Amino acid sequence: MPVKPDELWGVLDENPEAVVYAGGTDLLVKLRSQHAKPACLICLERLDDFKGITTEGDEIFIGALTTHREMVGDPIVVRDLRLMATATKSLGSPPVRNMGTLAGNIVTASPAGDTLAPLYVLNAQLEIRSRSATRRAPIESFILGPGKVDLNHGEIVSRIIVSKSPKFGVHHYEKVGRRDSLACAVVSMAALVNVTDDNIISKIRLAWGSVGPTIMRFRSVESFLEGKALSIKGLSEAVRLVKESVHPIDDLRASSSYRREVAGRLLLRLIGYTPCI
Amino acid sequence: MKFNSINIGSILCRPDALLKVSGEAKFAVDYYENNCVWAGVKRALEPHAILKNIDCVNALKIPGVLKVLTHKDVQGTNRQGVIRKDQPVLVNDKIRHCGDAVALVLAETKSDLSLAIDAVQIEMERLPAVTDIATALETDSHLVHEHNEKSNILLAGDITVGKGLAAANQCDVLVEAKFETQRQEHAYMETENGWAWLDDEGRINIVCSTQTPFRDRVEIAEALGIDPKNIRIIVPYVGGAFGGKDGITVQSLLALAAQHSEGRPVKMWWNREESFLSSVKRHPSMMSYRLGAKLDGTLHFLDVDISLDTGPYDHLGGVVLALAMEHSGGPYRIPNGLIRGKCVYTNNPVGGAFRGFGVTQVTSAMERAVDLLAEKLGMDRLELRLQNALKAGDRNFIGKTLITSTGIIECLETLSRHKLWRRKLSWKCGAPIFKKRGIGISAVMHASGYGPVVPDYANAKLELTENGKFRIYCGVVDMGQGNTTANIQIIGSLLNQPVGRIEVILPDTDKTLPSGSASASRCTYTFGNALVSAAGIMRERLCQKVADLLMIKDSNEFSMVPEAIRHLPTNREIRLETIARTMDLAEKVVIAHFRAPVATDLVTNDQEMRLHGIPHNLFSYSANLAYIEIDEITGKVGVQKYLTVSDCGKVVNPQLYDQQIQGGICQGLGLALYENFETLDGYVLTKDLSTYLVPTSMDVPDVESVALGIHEPSGPFGSKGIGEISTNGPLPTIANAIFDATGHMLKKSPIKPEAVLAALERNLSR
Amino acid sequence: MIAKVLISFELNSKKIEVETEPDRRVIDLLREDLGLTGVKESCGRGDCGSCSILVDGFVRLSCLMLAVQLHGRKILTIEGLNELEGVSISVQDAFVELGAVQCGFCTPGMIMSTIDLLNSNPKPSRNEIREAISGNICRCGAYQKILDAVETVTEELSESKNV
């Protein structure tokens, strides 16, 4: 259990097989189901350097080890990142949110990770550190596939960086789970939208979870929607486009056809934000 | 404690709750000693195979491994089961499902144990697995049990009612539907476990989580070839059971381990994955219904065909089938029809007892059929039910005359007057954007006790202690249902003692007496009746004793008061403690026996059916209502309100009554909407609580419960069974509410959002 | 054998030191080594909440923590509540009085979640209570009475403050 980054780099150097965890809510479950006992487990929870939420200029910096509970209760998140707050509240359960961290949710890289679709539409960047270097990567290129991320041995995610602007009027996240707590997303959708007074979508970003190997963003759908009315009529063609674009799987939680259908239909929920309502 | 009244009908807080909120309550799983041996099971993980060899060499090489035991180490019949003894303790010839136990490993630590279990190698010859009812019934199907007389059928039977199938033609309206229910897992929070040791006298002592200590003792004895006298079973608090601990889980394995642990205590505790893999489940069912009526709505005919998948072992499969057949027509008068049922062996997980016990399945079918019929007749669904509902003196569908309290009409009438029924239309019309609302109802009956053949009795033992308290020895397990508390109220009110003067001894085959299982909605009815007798004898004996001491002729002049006996004409009192000192042990103990009345109606000549419990004598009833809201975008069903009106006799303790009602509804809603224990070709797919979706606090609404409190003359204080009935309501009530909202009846459970979406789509295109 | 590690932490208001294996789970340390069997295990993988304990005041799952993570922390288990006063006693009493306990296996975890809630939000709404206990599965389905019990505590707390 390193406390300072230097200690961390040291332990990482000495143990090339080391497995790193923060909250343990994913990794320890995985080890149990695989009956695995890694030779070296590094717990990051005491690395205070990688905690806390701050703003600098136009950017918000979220420490990698910020727990989900801390996210939900943070005034900066509540004010500027409502989307993250909503999504994070739907993750797991209260004790899981007390333990799990934002970076943990990212590196687990589950297509159902509840914080991920919001981070995609926020165009989040990850700060990745090793003993000798610091680099930044956009989340979209960092996550390579289910459980796969662009992280080398000796590197850890240190901060998540989100830009404050441009401002969006509508922050929307919906998770479709089979029950209302302790649920894995069957489909989820994050949306940032600006709507004009006469109900026209001026700017929109959309991302879906659990409908492909990673979170999916369809820029063609976004640009198709910009300039359209926020109405059933305006959205219905986009619903069809989304259904054609997703690549969901069948599993115990839902069929691929259901995921496909609902992924599209979730767009309709945006109608609730129509200025005239 | 605010609620400490021992009066019948008042709330007495559960004394066990005091221990449970402080962490002091000891469950079987809380027994540890430093020198204990950990025992664990190597599971087959194959649905169907011939066992060729068990290779323990590598396992035995692991440091810390003490023993690897196989069927060769079992001295008895190596077979266990409640009715039919067909389940091996350790497989000796054939593997019949993935959860079969093949070897028993004893080790120093948990981690040694898990390494060794992985290292045991099973050599086997795989056989094609029989994994669905239709295939199992084909004439050339592989057989799960080669020597079974009826191929893959465990139990089958049919019962003709009235004119039988011929009456179909006399109906003006006939509806026909096929229903399918899923395999449900109990998922009690305390997984199967126990603690055992061989004592100096050579007796095996087992502390375990079970509903049936006395039956377990006999089963272990036979399977392992031990004299039952040399087995003692102790059952502390049980962390939930719901039928899943109605029979052997760890018991025989633990006893076997204790025989080989060289005097050291043995601990076995299945983890969640192992519990899922090897425990019994609610039987998946396929049900065909044809229900017919006259134009005026009088039910005239019902044709039912029920098939249950019982997995490879009987457990209680035959009994579940019989109870399903008995309840297949619901709480209605139906003069004609045919009931066909079969319980089929497969290589799927074992089907067994689960709160509701077959009634859950058939009620869900019948109540949906009634709604379909109401629609076809153009009748109000509540009117149709009321018109045909049973009253005392009627014969139910199977032909049993109802001679005990029968309150289904009152249940339905109370529901009809309730604001949730009266305001249903305005609520339905107020649905917000993207929501569709529906209201569903159902009527349910549920038997209690064992049926006409298997003796349904209890033996209550009551002792006056040295310090003048009363000690209740109850052999019926308290797995959370709270019968212990009801027992305290019975003694407290009959002997006029405050709660602090009453002690309880939990089930222990050395101390308490055989009183049947903690199941079948019978705990308080059967044991309670025995306890009422015991209290009467005790009171009479003590009053007589004091009368003799004081040389007063008429013992009727005495009455029991807290801690003493008072001579009413003179107000003289003698303390119970003082009386206790004048009595010897035999005098201070009262044992009373109660045997539940059984049905004498000869509804079938099939002895097998009678043996398996047809028919029962005593029934509880309920009427249920649900408000649901469907999300049109996702198909998700939200249950907004749930009302249940129940006739389960007089209420002994309203808090315990509510707990049973609310808990059963929670499990029923799980069955209706979430829970599904899935397998593929006999292999288990649902491995843990992240995919087996038990309702959370977010998923169930607050329940409104109205207890009618109708007096049942045969019950203690007018009470009758409450344990199971509430589980049966939610599935049909929710399905009927979706029918109300969408115009489509969903016939397969759990009702998944995708099926609801499809129903909505069909509704739009109509 | 892997070398044992010495850890020290505060357990139920008492400082303790124990030697433990680096891969030992907190729940095993508590139940098997320290005899605190009020902490229950039911799923072993964070799906049920039975093993909940308070770590520095926040509810956490002891099946998903390694014992070494306790070093330097303040741990409270159900057993530790008996020595505390105030909120925890009210919660325990309310669970008994309002019938929030059936089989009792989820109860310790349920109470730990309740205390975490009331520490951070003394006046929760019924829905907030629902959310706070939504990581604790109660298979007996006692949720409604658990909500009643927590609501009662909340009312009592605010009444006693007003007085």
Side-chain angles (χ1 to χ4, degrees):
Chain A
M1 267 203 306
V3 176
K4 293 280 166 209
D6 280 345
E7 291 171 34
L8 171 66
W9 312 133
V11 189
L12 283 172
D13 287 349
E14 284 160 26
N15 299 283
E17 303 296 312
V19 180
V20 167
Y21 77 99
T25 54
D26 287 326
L27 186 85
L28 297 186
V29 174
K30 193 171 138 196
L31 295 181
R32 173 189 168 96
S33 59
Q34 296 172 346
H35 289 237
K37 275 196 177 177
C40 175
L41 261 180
I42 303 176
C43 176
L44 303 175
E45 66 170 31
R46 306 286 164 106
L47 286 158
D48 289 345
D49 287 20
F50 302 142
K51 291 179 187 166
I53 301 173
T54 54
T55 53
E56 272 172 46
D58 202 24
E59 289 183 319
I60 300 169
F61 293 83
I62 305 166
L65 297 173
T66 305
T67 64
H68 303 304
R69 179 177 180 146
E70 288 160 355
M71 284 288 290
V72 172
D74 187 273
I76 299 172
V77 174
V78 172
R79 194 184 62 226
D80 295 327
L81 296 175
R82 289 194 316 273
L83 180 61
M84 287 299 295
T86 316
T88 307
K89 264 187 217 166
S90 76
L91 184 149
S93 69
V96 168
R97 296 197 287 274
N98 283 350
M99 300 168 78
T101 63
L102 182 56
N105 202 233
I106 295 170
V107 296
T108 292
S110 158
D114 286 301
T115 66
L116 302 185
L119 291 171
Y120 272 60
V121 293
L122 289 163
N123 289 335
Q125 302 256 325
L126 307 181
E127 182 190 83
I128 296 154
R129 281 179 60 183
S130 61
R131 181 193 284 281
S132 52
T134 301
R135 65 180 171 102
R136 270 198 193 194
I139 189 157
E140 250 176 290
S141 60
F142 177 76
I143 294 179
L144 305 171
K148 284 197 198 115
V149 292
D150 173 22
L151 201 61
N152 303 311
H153 184 78
E155 284 187 329
I156 67 153
V157 175
S158 52
R159 294 198 290 188
I160 293 89
I161 303 144
V162 184
S163 161
K164 269 192 206 166
S165 64
K167 293 231 186 305
F168 286 91
V170 174
H171 282 227
H172 175 79
Y173 180 77
E174 180 168 356
K175 168 181 181 168
V176 182
R178 285 294 320 278
R179 59 182 170 185
D180 285 342
S181 177
L182 283 165
C184 180
V186 163
V187 191
S188 64
M189 185 188 84
L192 291 172
V193 195
N194 275 332
V195 190
T196 62
D197 290 342
D198 49 356
N199 207 25
I200 300 297
I201 298 168
S202 58
K203 194 152 183 53
I204 190 164
R205 291 189 201 155
L206 298 161
W208 282 264
S210 303
V211 290
T214 62
I215 300 297
M216 306 198 82
R217 258 188 91 169
F218 307 114
R219 287 176 172 76
S220 54
V221 176
E222 293 174 6
S223 49
F224 172 83
L225 278 171
E226 282 168 4
K228 299 279 190 310
L230 184 57
S231 64
I232 292 198
K233 197 161 164 258
L235 291 172
S236 56
E237 180 61 11
V239 169
R240 195 184 59 78
L241 282 176
V242 172
K243 287 190 209 172
E244 282 171 8
S245 310
V246 295
H247 300 286
I249 56 158
D250 286 299
D251 67 10
L252 284 181
R253 295 187 177 94
S255 66
S256 58
S257 58
Y258 176 75
R259 290 187 154 103
R260 181 183 301 280
E261 178 66 30
V262 172
R265 295 164 78 111
L266 282 182
L267 272 178
L268 299 174
R269 201 81 76 192
L270 295 174
I271 290 166
Y273 298 96
T274 310
C276 37
I277 287 183
Chain B
M1 234 177 6
K2 282 180 201 154
F3 301 114
N4 59 0
S5 165
I6 44 81
N7 292 331
I8 299 294
S10 298
I11 293 176
L12 168 66
C13 290
R14 304 165 60 130
D16 55 312
L18 278 171
L19 301 173
K20 288 169 177 174
V21 297
S22 64
E24 290 164 69
K26 226 175 166 186
F27 294 79
V29 85
D30 298 329
Y31 286 73
Y32 292 95
E33 266 173 42
N34 285 334
N35 70 334
C36 79
V37 171
W38 287 85
V41 183
K42 176 73 181 183
R43 301 277 167 193
L45 302 179
E46 273 296 325
H48 203 190
I50 307 278
L51 178 66
K52 291 290 186 187
N53 184 39
I54 305 165
D55 182 353
C56 313
V57 177
N58 290 336
L60 286 165
K61 280 184 197 155
I62 293 169
V65 171
L66 303 169
K67 293 267 165 60
V68 180
L69 305 171
T70 67
H71 62 91
K72 291 177 187 151
D73 299 292
V74 177
Q75 302 295 317
T77 61
N78 191 19
R79 287 295 181 275
Q80 46 198 4
V82 181
I83 305 280
R84 189 184 289 195
K85 312 275 180 206
D86 56 4
Q87 181 166 13
V89 179
L90 290 171
V91 173
N92 56 309
D93 50 2
K94 207 167 92 162
I95 289 161
R96 294 188 177 87
H97 80 124
C98 283
D100 262 337
V102 178
L104 176 64
V105 182
L106 274 59
E108 293 285 350
T109 67
K110 267 197 293 193
S111 52
D112 297 339
L113 182 66
S114 86
L115 287 174
I117 289 172
D118 287 347
V120 173
Q121 282 173 358
I122 307 173
E123 289 161 30
M124 59 179 109
E125 185 190 319
R126 288 182 178 77
L127 298 170
V130 183
T131 59
D132 67 276
I133 293 171
T135 316
L137 294 175
E138 285 167 8
T139 44
D140 57 346
S141 169
H142 284 266
L143 296 179
V144 178
H145 294 275
E146 283 71 20
H147 306 298
N148 187 41
E149 282 172 23
K150 291 177 279 184
S151 304
N152 282 327
I153 291 178
L154 164 67
L155 179 70
D158 51 59
I159 295 173
T160 301
V161 178
K163 300 193 191 75
L165 292 180
N169 298 328
Q170 302 164 342
C171 298
D172 297 321
V173 176
L174 199 62
V175 291
E176 193 169 345
K178 287 184 165 42
F179 302 94
E180 207 178 317
T181 63
Q182 76 273 38
R183 183 176 287 111
Q184 189 180 21
E185 158 65 38
H186 305 76
Y188 22 74
M189 301 314 289
E190 184 196 22
T191 51
E192 299 81 351
N193 74 90
W195 171 259
W197 71 95
L198 194 66
D199 65 24
D200 296 340
E201 294 158 29
R203 297 179 78 213
I204 295 172
N205 298 262
I206 302 172
V207 178
C208 64
S209 193
T210 177
Q211 289 170 250
T212 48
F214 289 91
R215 208 173 67 205
D216 293 352
R217 183 170 61 165
V218 178
E219 281 193 58
I220 300 167
E222 207 175 310
L224 301 187
I226 306 171
D227 186 338
K229 281 193 207 126
N230 287 331
I231 300 170
R232 176 185 181 186
I233 313 254
I234 301 160
V235 192
Y237 294 111
V238 172
F242 320 116
K245 296 172 184 170
D246 188 346
I248 295 278
T249 59
V250 295
Q251 294 87 324
S252 303
L253 293 161
L254 263 176
L256 181 63
Q259 286 181 316
H260 291 87
S261 66
E262 281 149 24
R264 293 169 65 185
V266 185
K267 187 172 183 71
M268 182 186 296
W269 187 1
W270 298 353
N271 67 15
R272 181 59 61 190
E273 292 85 341
E274 185 174 13
S275 171
F276 270 25
L277 180 66
S278 43
S279 68
V280 301
K281 318 284 180 234
R282 187 190 300 284
H283 291 79
S285 70
M286 315 265 280
M287 298 169 289
S288 296
Y289 266 67
R290 279 201 302 156
L291 176 64
K294 298 288 189 183
L295 261 188
D296 67 354
T298 306
L299 295 181
H300 186 69
F301 166 79
L302 175 62
D303 173 20
V304 183
D305 192 343
I306 307 160
S307 306
L308 302 179
D309 174 351
T310 203
Y313 305 119
D314 176 14
H315 193 262
L316 283 159
V319 192
V320 170
L321 175 70
L323 202 70
M325 290 171 68
E326 185 177 351
H327 289 75
S328 57
Y332 308 107
R333 277 180 310 277
I334 311 171
N336 308 294
L338 177 65
I339 310 165
R340 283 168 288 193
K342 45 187 154 330
C343 200
V344 180
Y345 278 135
T346 66
N347 297 114
N348 288 325
V350 186
F354 196 141
R355 193 182 203 175
F357 210 86
V359 184
T360 312
Q361 289 93 322
V362 292
T363 303
S364 79
M366 180 65 192
E367 284 304 294
R368 281 180 276 187
V370 171
D371 261 32
L372 290 170
L373 185 69
E375 194 202 34
K376 204 159 178 183
L377 283 164
M379 268 183 81
D380 178 86
R381 47 205 162 144
L382 185 54
E383 280 304 316
L384 178 63
R385 285 178 169 87
L386 266 169
Q387 185 183 335
N388 292 285
L390 291 167
K391 55 186 191 309
D394 283 347
R395 274 178 298 145
N396 68 9
F397 182 42
I398 205 162
K400 152 101 193 99
T401 297
L402 299 172
I403 55 168
T404 52
S405 57
T406 307
I408 184 62
I409 291 178
E410 288 94 319
C411 289
L412 289 164
E413 282 174 347
T414 306
L415 185 143
S416 74
R417 288 190 298 267
H418 197 278
K419 63 177 189 297
L420 289 176
W421 178 252
R422 285 188 287 109
R423 293 179 192 164
K424 60 182 186 302
L425 285 178
S426 63
W427 183 78
K428 193 175 168 180
C429 297
I433 183 171
F434 296 131
K435 303 284 181 192
K436 217 168 180 72
R437 289 176 169 178
I439 291 97
I441 58 168
S442 67
V444 184
M445 76 189 287
H446 196 108
S448 59
Y450 293 157
V453 180
V454 176
D456 189 357
Y457 63 81
N459 294 297
K461 179 172 160 187
L462 181 65
E463 182 187 349
L464 174 66
T465 68
E466 280 296 296
N467 45 15
K469 293 184 179 181
F470 290 99
R471 190 177 286 152
I472 304 165
Y473 293 81
C474 175
V476 184
V477 172
D478 190 338
M479 61 253 192
Q481 82 278 37
N483 56 330
T484 308
T485 310
N487 292 341
I488 291 173
Q489 278 176 282
I490 289 173
I491 288 304
S493 59
L494 287 176
L495 300 184
N496 205 3
Q497 299 299 305
V499 60
R501 304 299 296 174
I502 302 159
E503 298 174 354
V504 287
I505 299 295
L506 296 176
D508 177 336
T509 55
D510 272 12
K511 293 182 178 169
T512 60
L513 298 168
S515 296
S517 55
S519 67
S521 305
R522 66 182 288 281
C523 301
T524 300
Y525 179 82
T526 311
F527 189 84
N529 265 324
L531 200 54
V532 167
S533 305
I537 299 169
M538 177 66 86
R539 184 179 49 222
E540 207 171 297
R541 185 180 292 175
L542 294 178
C543 289
Q544 187 64 55
K545 186 87 191 170
V546 178
D548 291 350
L549 278 173
L550 299 178
M551 290 191 283
I552 290 170
K553 217 171 193 175
D554 188 359
S555 67
N556 288 327
E557 291 175 356
F558 290 86
S559 188
M560 299 201 61
V561 293
E563 298 186 41
I565 290 182
R566 185 179 294 167
H567 183 238
L568 299 176
T570 61
N571 281 332
R572 280 181 68 186
E573 270 185 29
I574 296 198
R575 291 178 59 77
L576 287 169
E577 202 177 339
T578 314
I579 304 165
R581 282 206 211 100
T582 70
M583 297 168 80
D584 86 10
L585 186 63
E587 241 185 329
K588 285 189 289 190
V589 174
V590 169
I591 291 169
H593 179 80
F594 174 76
R595 189 169 281 253
V598 293
T600 50
D601 315 59
L602 204 66
V603 299
T604 169
N605 290 318
D606 184 338
Q607 280 310 309
E608 278 282 285
M609 281 291 147
R610 287 175 56 78
L611 172 68
H612 284 85
I614 288 180
H616 285 71
N617 194 53
L618 179 63
F619 303 89
S620 296
Y621 299 88
S622 79
N624 307 282
L625 176 150
Y627 277 20
I628 62 134
E629 196 167 87
I630 299 171
D631 184 81
E632 292 179 300
I633 290 181
T634 63
K636 275 182 76 171
V637 174
V639 184
Q640 308 280 322
K641 305 246 184 236
Y642 195 99
L643 165 71
T644 186
V645 183
S646 52
D647 159 30
C648 301
K650 285 279 179 200
V651 179
V652 174
N653 180 328
Q655 193 174 76
L656 295 174
Y657 193 99
D658 272 3
Q659 288 177 340
Q660 288 299 306
I661 292 277
Q662 293 168 8
I665 288 168
C666 189
Q667 286 173 355
L669 287 172
L671 180 81
L673 293 171
Y674 309 109
E675 300 174 29
N676 196 7
F677 192 88
E678 295 198 61
T679 59
L680 182 65
D681 302 330
Y683 297 97
V684 170
L685 299 179
T686 311
K687 295 180 167 37
D688 53 53
L689 285 171
S690 77
T691 44
Y692 191 77
L693 304 175
V694 168
T696 72
S697 58
M698 304 294 285
D699 304 304
V700 286
D702 288 341
V703 167
E704 207 166 320
S705 162
V706 179
L708 293 182
I710 294 169
H711 187 266
E712 164 49 42
S714 73
F717 301 97
S719 70
K720 56 183 180 179
I722 172 71
E724 296 172 272
I725 188 162
S726 55
T727 319
N728 304 327
L731 173 51
T733 312
I734 302 302
N736 286 342
I738 296 170
F739 179 50
D740 181 47
T742 67
H744 286 270
M745 184 62 85
L746 298 178
K747 295 167 191 142
K748 193 175 169 187
S749 60
I751 298 168
K752 292 185 181 173
E754 35 204 305
V756 179
L757 263 195
L760 284 170
E761 289 296 317
R762 285 200 299 268
N763 190 34
L764 287 179
S765 58
R766 259 210 314 199
Chain C
M1 276 302 270
I2 313 163
K4 288 194 172 185
V5 191
L6 182 72
I7 56 170
S8 60
F9 57 97
E10 193 184 301
L11 177 62
N12 296 334
S13 315
K14 289 188 196 83
K15 291 238 186 277
I16 68 157
E17 275 193 352
V18 282
E19 274 202 328
T20 186
E21 289 89 8
D23 60 351
R24 194 151 180 77
R25 300 180 308 162
V26 168
I27 187 153
D28 297 327
L29 179 88
L30 294 174
R31 288 180 55 85
E32 294 174 20
D33 304 347
L34 302 172
L36 298 176
T37 53
V39 186
K40 300 293 190 237
E41 177 165 4
S42 181
C43 76
R45 37 169 290 143
D47 298 327
C48 79
S50 302
C51 66
S52 299
I53 57 171
L54 294 187
V55 179
D56 289 345
F58 294 119
V59 69
R60 282 171 169 255
L61 302 166
S62 63
C63 74
L64 293 183
M65 286 180 77
L66 298 182
V68 290
Q69 289 177 256
L70 297 183
H71 185 68
R73 304 279 194 212
K74 271 190 182 176
I75 311 304
L76 195 62
T77 71
I78 189 78
E79 289 89 349
L81 298 185
N82 304 332
E83 285 144 41
L84 295 180
E85 286 173 358
V87 175
S88 63
I89 296 293
S90 315
V91 173
Q92 288 171 306
D93 285 351
F95 268 59
V96 175
E97 281 166 20
L98 276 293
V101 179
Q102 292 191 38
C103 88
F105 209 79
C106 75
T107 307
M110 203 62 90
I111 289 180
M112 299 322 276
S113 288
T114 303
I115 290 180
D116 183 351
L117 167 73
L118 296 179
N119 283 343
S120 56
N121 179 6
K123 280 188 180 176
S125 66
R126 198 166 172 93
N127 269 340
E128 287 171 326
I129 303 168
R130 257 185 214 285
E131 276 183 30
I133 61 161
S134 67
N136 297 82
I137 301 275
C138 170
R139 185 50 159 165
C140 297
Y143 300 123
Q144 186 168 342
K145 289 191 177 293
I146 294 167
L147 300 177
D148 294 345
V150 183
E151 257 182 356
T152 307
V153 180
T154 313
E155 284 158 18
E156 280 170 9
L157 287 179
S158 59
E159 275 167 26
S160 65
K161 267 179 201 153
N162 291 342
V163 175

